[in-house]
Every structure is written in structure tokens, then in C-alpha cells.
Amino acid sequence: MACPRVIFLILITFFILQTAFSSSWQTLSGKPPAVIARGGFSGMFPDSSIQAYQLVNITTSPDVMLWCDLQLTKDGVGICFPNLKLDNGSNVIRIDPHYKERFSVDFTWKELSDVKLAQGVVSRPYIFDDVSSILAIEEVAKLTASGLWLNIQDSAFYAQHNLSMRNSVVSLSRRLKVNFISSPEISFLKSMKNSVKPTVTKLIFRFLKQDHIEPFTNQSYGSLTKNLTYIRTFSSGILVPKSYIWPVDSALYLQPHTSLVTDAHKEGLQVFASEFANDFVIAYNYSYDPTAEYLSFIDNGNFSVDGFLSDFPVTPYRAINCFSHVDPKRAKEQAKITIISKNGASGDFPGCTDLAYQRAASDGADILDCNVQMSKDKIPFCMSSFDLINSTNVIETSFRNLSSVVSEINPRRSGIYTFSLTMSQIQTLKPTISNLEKDSGLFRNPRNNKAGKFLTLSEFLFLPNRYSSLLGLLIEVENAAYLVEHQGISVVDAVLDELKRATTQQNKTSARTILIQSTDKSVLMKFKEKNKMNHDELVYRVDDNIRDVADSAIKDIKNFAGSIVISKKSVFPYKGFIILEKETNIASKLKSSGLRVYVERFSNECVTHAFDFYDDPTLEIDSFVRDVQIDGIITDFPATTARYRKNKCYGEFGLTTTGELITFANPMLLPPAEAPYPALLDSDVTEPPLPEARSQPPASSPSKAEEKAIEVPFAFIAMAILVCFFISV
């Protein structure tokens, strides 16, 4: 009889496949980690508001659980509110200004009906304040199919007011679907142990800060991690701040992970990690990418947490389903989008340095860029800014006395410009990392500050020979007219000379695409005329936010360029980080004309995205790629887009709906309307031809004695001046 044998083989195969599937996750159950939305989507809307809970269902799936910080009113009604005091998170102070401290137990449920919720984190959108009412727990339960997570933070406080949190929770668990109950109070969890069915509702011990004292044991929470066997006697799992698992030092760098997850799993305890939010400052190791942080807790080869408690649940939900267990070397690219670096990987290293280019290439950039600057001795090199103050430590050196105001470049501020120093002098400077969002307190990796060295254009042109994955190079040329007219330097000729020299060397770069980019039509026309470059090799960059492009302007651009670079705000106009309309038709209009459309500048820092993208750089990329269908992304963090291209669920999730958040705002809190961005007209593109450089011999390099004299420390110079002054007196 072959039939039983066949059935047996099928069962064995099924078991093996199931085991293999389960083993891909190192959670306690072998299933994917859970996502718990703390107070709903509290990163956007006020915590525990109906909009916050509803947004979870819109952006994720029914599997994502809703978290409720359960509080009790004076008449024993259970409500969801993030704090014991109502002051932070509502407008109660305006409703009842007489109370010094305002707790939920000071009001009946009816009295709270006039209280509106407000954002409790000052850096988050305030325009949704004073719209939503406080919700009773029964109302929240109606918004979820997967069940609730109730957090009981202060049961002892309610006992002091003759209210039994235990009795309230037991009653709720019998009427509502409650999957988890957490508390930092061991006494409360012990009292609940025999009142809930562990197969239906799991009790979770919540750890607070390591030096805080747990009242029942009188031990610090940090010390209780060493006694997991005891914790298993009254709970099914633990909820810990993420630093319990991946510690971060005072300088914001990751330390080696602890063994907490592995130790807890050995005891049969699930481990849930908390304190995740896209707008929180995270370790520099993650390059401000929240998805990278989530993946480090579930896809590190050593352990996986069993779930995340997050203020932005869409990010861990997609990290788990789309980006985990993806082999970057073997996975196929799903999204067709060209990645162009912005000064290399300038989010991680000083821009335009060897290290920035190395990181960009290894992170998946297709095209490396060089913003060409000219030295005093007419050597072209790569640097992110014409002004050395923006890219180097020049202000710390004796070259600071070369500071001057160049009205044609920046009439409002003095600078130290590249054409004031020779190449040998520039090479003595240290590159500095670009902190574009320092005003928001967001600084880029300080350990990499002053790391690397600047490359000459000649060195840059040979990078494709070092990094075989590259598709090409982009050379950006700006300030060409000023250099010709005022410095006698032709940056166009300098670039053409280097291109010619590179193509005649042994290792030719001509096999790779070379793109020339500029905001000046005259520059691109000059390259077209002198080097017979075709349209596909020339890129026109629009340096202003625009709302439209005139047909005549498009026709003019097509005469000298095959691609165009526009800003993110030109595609999705927004003010105060809220997108005002779904999108403009600029990108589609330009693409339909035959131009390739590249968009800049994509960064990871949360303050660089509109709130409509939920402070998630990956969601922003997804909208531009799938919705707008742009051709290329210009980014200082190439790794984020490279990972996106290989996500497992490309096209499966709905697009982020832009331009609708504003409809939920309090009209009284919206910023005043501003004038729309201008349209790009033909007159904005048209400009006179680039003049030819005056015939001048190259500036002679300074002698060693001159260089030494120039590099005299500033303090030494100041001392000499003081001595001369006192002698004259």
C-alpha cells in the first residue's frame, strides 16, 4: 500500500516547512512580532483620541493591537488617557482652572464630557488639539477587532480614592476582548492572576527605569531582570524600555546588546520593547532611520523581541512585514528608482570625502555626485559648498583672515571661498559633517566629524573603477559665471580637461554614464557645445520651490537637457509640516514631456518630512516612487532608499494618503495662508551665454616658506600684534 507512505511523506514535508517558517522568527512563539499602538497613532494625533485609534486601522492591519492607559473617573468609569494627571494631554485647565492638580478621579464621566484632548509632546502637531473628547474604554474596544492591551500604571493611587482598579479590570475583561494587561506593580499582577484566563488574557510585567524601585519587592527594576524565574510566577511576559535590550551610552552610541531577550525566552517569558517613536532621538548607529532601529530588535541573527509598543505603529508593522529577513545581496529589486547621492553619503560622513563616497557606494547608490569647486591654482575638486566655512574647519585655522563678503554669492554673510586657497592649502583642512537640522537639535554622527579627505575631480572620476556597482557619476557645476568674470577661472574648461584626461587613461571611465548638472542653462549649453554632450547627459536643476512649469519653459529646457531636478516641496507643497494638497502635477507634466524627473533632497531626520508621511523616511520614499513615479531620488542617506527597493511587499500596501491630515485639524490652530510658490517660466530659464575666461596663467603655488607663514597659528599672530602695540606705546 503506497497511500499511507505518501501521506506520511506529505505530513513530514509539511512539518519541515512549518518548522522552517517558524524558525525564521526568533520570537518565543516562532510567529512574527506583535505591534501595539500606544494610545493609537499617538505620534500624530493626541494620545488616546478617536482619530489616533482610527489612523491605526487605516495605515496598518486589524492585527495591530490598541493600547489603552486605563484611568478611572470619580464614578468608576474606565477611560483611556496617557497620564494620571489630566493637565498634560488635555485642555482641562481651561475647563476647570480652580483645581491645582487635575486627576481623572476628580471628575465624573459626565463632567469630563467637555474636556478635549491635546498633544502632550511639544514637537508634535498641535493643530489637532481641542478636537477630540476623552473616550471610555468601551468606545475604544469597538475600534479594534484584534483586542486591547490595557496598561494599569497606578492601581495603588485609585485604592487611596476608594476605587478598585482590580475589580474594574476583571469586569472589563469579561465584557471586552482584552489580550494583554500590563502593570509595573507586582502586587496588582498577583491579584489578577486567578481572575483571568491565561489562554485569553496574558499578564505582562512592565519595567520602568532601571533605578526606579518596584514597591512590592522594594527592589530596583534593573535588579529584577536578574530574577526572571520569579517574574514568571505571576506573568506571561515582560515589557521593557528598549535600552534594557540595546543600551545606549551618554554619547548616543549603541553598546553591545544584553542577554535579556534570550534569558527571558528560556524562562518562557515573552519580551515586548517600548519607547519607540519616529520623532525620538535614537542612537547615531541608526542614521536617524526608525526602520533600521526596529530591525535591530528582530532581525539581528541572535534574538527577536515578541512585539513593539510604538507611537508610530505603521513603521514597525512594515519593518516586520516588508524589510525583515531580506538578504540584501540576493533579494531582487522591486522598485525601479535611481539612487543619486548628495555629496556622497553625507548623512553619515562629511560630504564629498572619500569615506562619504565609499559609504554611498556600499549602501547602494547608483550614481555618485561631485559638486565641483575650484581652488586658487585652478584645480577642480569635490566639495559640498563654495564656502569653506560650511564644509571644513577653516575657521579654526589661520586662514580665517581670508574671510570676505562676495556680494555676487552671498551679500548678507562673509565667507572663506575655495578660490582663495590653493589645493595644497585646502588639503590641510579637516572636512566637517553637514548638520542641516542642528537648529532642531539633530546632529549627525559626531564620531565621523572631520573624518576622510576631499577628492580632486581627477580622483573622483576613477571611483567607478573601485566600485563596480556604480552606474555612473554626476558632476555639478555652479557659480561658473562668477568664477569666469571675477576670478578668471573657467570651471567648465577645467571639468572638460579632467574628463578628457580620464578617458585617455588606462582604466577608462567612459563605460560609465557621466552626467553634468547645473542650475544655469548657460553652463549646460557650454558643455553641449564644447564636448558634444547629448541631452541625456545634461541635467537642469531648479533651485526654487515651484508650483507649476510653463509649457514654454519645458520646451526651452528640452533643448539643452534630458533630465530635471526639482524639490520635494514642488511635488508636495506643505507648510508647518502639513501637506496642503495631495500633490501638484509638476512631475507628471515634466515626465510626459520626455524629461526624466529627479527629486531632492531626501534625508532621514524626522523634521525633513511632512507629517503626512508619519515622520518615516521610507513612507516618504514610497509616495514619491509609487504615487508620483519619479525617476530618481537624490539623498544623503542612500541606504534607506536601497533597502526600500528590495522590500518584500512592494505595491501590496495602500499609498500614504497625502493632503488629508489637514482636514482633521482645528481650524483655529491652522497657520495663516501663504502665497503659493511661483511657476517656472521661460524667462526664469533663459540667460545670456557663459563668457569665456580671460587668458591668465595659472596662479603659482606658494613656496614652502609662504605656506608656513600662512599657517602661523592665529594665537601667535595675535600675540605678535599685542607686543608691537605695547612697544609702540
Side-chain angles (χ1 to χ4, degrees), residues 303-495:
F303 63 85
S304 171
V305 298
D306 299 279
F308 295 107
L309 177 62
S310 174
D311 293 12
F312 293 81
V314 66
T315 304
Y317 176 72
R318 294 203 180 191
I320 293 165
N321 291 282
C322 303
F323 300 108
S324 63
H325 303 138
V326 174
D327 186 341
K329 294 182 179 180
R330 296 182 179 180
K332 294 182 179 179
E333 292 184 352
Q334 305 298 322
K336 305 302 180 184
I337 186 75
T338 300
I339 303 174
I340 304 172
S341 71
K342 184 66 175 181
N343 305 317
S346 56
D348 292 305
F349 287 94
C352 296
T353 59
D354 56 339
L355 296 179
Y357 291 129
Q358 178 182 342
R359 173 62 65 87
S362 64
D363 281 351
D366 300 308
I367 297 174
L368 298 183
D369 69 307
C370 170
N371 193 343
V372 175
Q373 311 298 343
M374 297 297 294
S375 65
K376 185 177 181 179
D377 45 350
K378 301 184 179 181
I379 297 176
F381 65 99
C382 304
M383 184 175 285
S384 61
S385 174
F386 205 31
D387 186 352
L388 292 165
I389 294 175
N390 298 330
S391 305
T392 74
N393 69 332
V394 67
I395 204 68
E396 301 171 3
T397 72
S398 59
F399 298 125
R400 73 178 78 182
N401 60 357
L402 297 177
S403 177
S404 62
V405 175
V406 178
S407 58
E408 295 85 354
I409 300 173
N410 189 345
R412 296 183 299 274
R413 203 193 80 172
S414 62
I416 303 174
Y417 297 98
T418 60
F419 53 77
S420 299
L421 278 73
T422 64
M423 195 64 223
S424 61
Q425 292 169 340
I426 290 171
Q427 288 173 335
T428 67
L429 303 176
K430 296 290 186 181
T432 56
I433 203 163
S434 175
N435 289 305
L436 300 178
E437 306 304 328
K438 62 182 179 182
D439 291 342
S440 300
L442 301 178
F443 293 87
R444 291 174 171 176
N445 197 330
R447 284 185 181 171
N448 292 341
N449 195 31
K450 300 184 180 180
K453 72 180 188 70
F454 294 115
L455 300 186
T456 63
L457 179 58
S458 174
E459 294 170 322
F460 174 79
L461 290 173
F462 280 89
L463 290 180
N465 296 322
R466 184 180 303 172
Y467 308 118
S468 59
S469 61
L470 293 177
L471 300 180
L473 302 173
L474 182 145
I475 299 171
E476 186 173 0
V477 178
E478 301 294 347
N479 303 304
Y482 171 82
L483 287 171
V484 167
E485 295 173 2
H486 298 275
Q487 301 298 325
I489 299 174
S490 174
V491 61
V492 172
D493 289 342
V495 171

Side-chain angles (χ1 to χ4, degrees), residues 45-274:
F45 290 105
D47 193 309
S48 306
S49 65
I50 188 169
Q51 290 91 345
Y53 287 123
Q54 289 174 334
L55 187 58
V56 176
N57 296 330
I58 293 171
T59 58
T60 59
S61 81
D63 295 332
V64 175
M65 279 179 286
L66 301 185
W67 166 285
C68 170
D69 280 296
L70 187 65
Q71 316 294 345
L72 298 177
T73 64
K74 183 188 294 185
D75 47 350
V77 175
I79 63 171
C80 295
F81 193 81
N83 310 302
L84 196 61
K85 295 181 182 180
L86 299 179
D87 306 56
N88 185 25
S90 80
N91 67 348
V92 68
I93 193 169
R94 278 176 278 171
I95 301 299
D96 190 0
H98 300 296
Y99 280 97
K100 291 183 179 179
E101 290 185 313
R102 300 161 186 84
F103 299 93
S104 60
V105 295
D106 294 325
F107 302 89
T108 64
W109 171 237
K110 184 177 180 180
E111 290 170 336
L112 285 178
S113 62
D114 292 329
V115 176
K116 301 297 183 182
L117 295 169
Q119 181 56 258
V121 180
V122 294
S123 61
R124 291 176 176 173
Y126 64 87
I127 62 173
F128 307 115
D129 290 1
D130 304 343
V131 173
S132 306
S133 301
I134 294 175
L135 298 177
I137 180 61
E138 290 83 0
E139 295 174 277
V140 176
K142 295 176 183 178
L143 301 173
T144 177
S146 60
L148 293 167
W149 183 308
L150 299 183
N151 181 59
I152 315 303
Q153 199 73 4
D154 301 282
S155 65
F157 170 82
Y158 291 101
Q160 295 170 7
H161 290 78
N162 298 317
L163 291 169
S164 173
M165 181 61 81
R166 177 195 172 279
N167 292 344
S168 296
V169 173
V170 170
S171 175
L172 289 170
S173 65
R174 291 172 180 171
R175 293 185 286 114
L176 307 174
K177 185 180 180 181
V178 179
N179 294 9
F180 294 89
I181 298 171
S182 61
S183 177
E185 300 173 330
I186 290 178
S187 58
F188 174 79
L189 294 174
K190 283 179 172 288
S191 72
M192 291 293 300
K193 183 177 180 182
N194 297 322
S195 301
V196 295
K197 295 180 180 180
T199 55
V200 177
T201 304
K202 294 182 179 181
L203 300 178
I204 305 296
F205 179 49
R206 185 180 190 182
F207 282 72
L208 303 182
K209 292 182 179 180
Q210 299 214 23
D211 58 350
H212 284 200
I213 302 299
E214 196 286 317
F216 182 79
T217 60
N218 201 33
Q219 295 180 38
S220 69
Y221 285 94
S223 65
L224 286 171
T225 60
K226 308 300 181 185
N227 201 355
L228 297 175
T229 302
Y230 169 65
I231 292 173
R232 185 69 181 89
T233 63
F234 58 82
S235 71
S236 300
I238 57 177
L239 172 64
V240 299
K242 60 187 179 182
S243 59
Y244 274 66
I245 300 168
W246 279 106
V248 178
D249 64 20
S250 58
L252 287 180
Y253 288 97
L254 285 179
Q255 301 300 293
H257 66 77
T258 68
S259 61
L260 178 60
V261 176
T262 304
D263 294 342
H265 282 173
K266 289 178 180 178
E267 295 292 338
L269 290 165
Q270 288 186 295
V271 181
F272 300 90
S274 65

Side-chain angles (χ1 to χ4, degrees), residues 634-647:
I634 299 174
T635 174
D636 34 18
F637 291 95
T640 307
T641 307
R643 184 189 60 226
Y644 166 79
R645 287 198 298 198
K646 297 182 178 181
N647 79 81

